[in-house]
Amino acid sequence: MITIKLLTVTALTLGGVTAAHCQPPAFYSARLSDDQTVALFLERTIAAAQAGFDYDVMIGVGSVRPAGSDQYVDPSAHPAAVRCHEPALVMVAGREYAIDMLDPSDWKTALWNTVCHAPIS
């Protein structure tokens, strides 16, 4: 089993106190109407257990307001499966999404691109 996990170190300021924490880089982010940004990041990527898929991933969710205030990271992770070869798919909650049928700005497209086009060293 191969696990891929990239971490970035982010400084978080709360009430004048700075705390450093590690969080994987976001593969997708969206700004909400109240200027809050929600980001999705890969918690874990492993070889798929289900035939027909390449990777099982765990997705983390976090949010932050401008200037880094009010940061929240969802303590749970959300599972998905990714097929890189044709037909390219992302499966979430048992539902398959064909990548070529999704809008390029859809978070599932961003997930597929991140997992399937990750640099290999």
Side-chain angles (χ1 to χ4, degrees):
M1 179 176 355
I2 299 172
T3 301
I4 302 169
K5 188 165 185 176
L6 303 174
L7 297 176
T8 56
V9 177
T10 306
L12 175 62
T13 304
L14 297 170
V17 177
T18 301
H21 71 285
C22 290
Q23 173 180 312
F27 68 84
Y28 179 83
S29 62
R31 182 163 286 209
L32 303 179
S33 61
D34 64 354
D35 289 332
Q36 183 176 10
T37 299
V38 174
L40 305 178
F41 50 90
L42 290 176
E43 287 283 336
R44 184 177 63 174
T45 303
I46 61 173
Q50 183 174 339
F53 285 88
D54 298 301
Y55 300 100
D56 288 334
V57 299
M58 297 302 284
I59 301 168
V61 180
S63 68
V64 65
R65 292 192 182 275
S69 64
D70 298 328
Q71 181 165 3
Y72 171 78
V73 176
D74 183 349
S76 60
H78 309 276
V82 178
R83 177 189 298 158
C84 295
H85 58 279
E86 291 296 327
L89 297 172
V90 169
M91 184 170 65
V92 180
R95 182 169 177 197
E96 294 181 356
Y97 297 90
I99 296 303
D100 63 348
M101 300 299 289
L102 296 174
D103 186 291
S105 64
D106 189 285
W107 71 267
K108 293 174 287 300
T109 302
L111 171 64
W112 186 88
N113 282 318
T114 299
V115 172
C116 296
H117 294 156
I120 299 172
S121 58

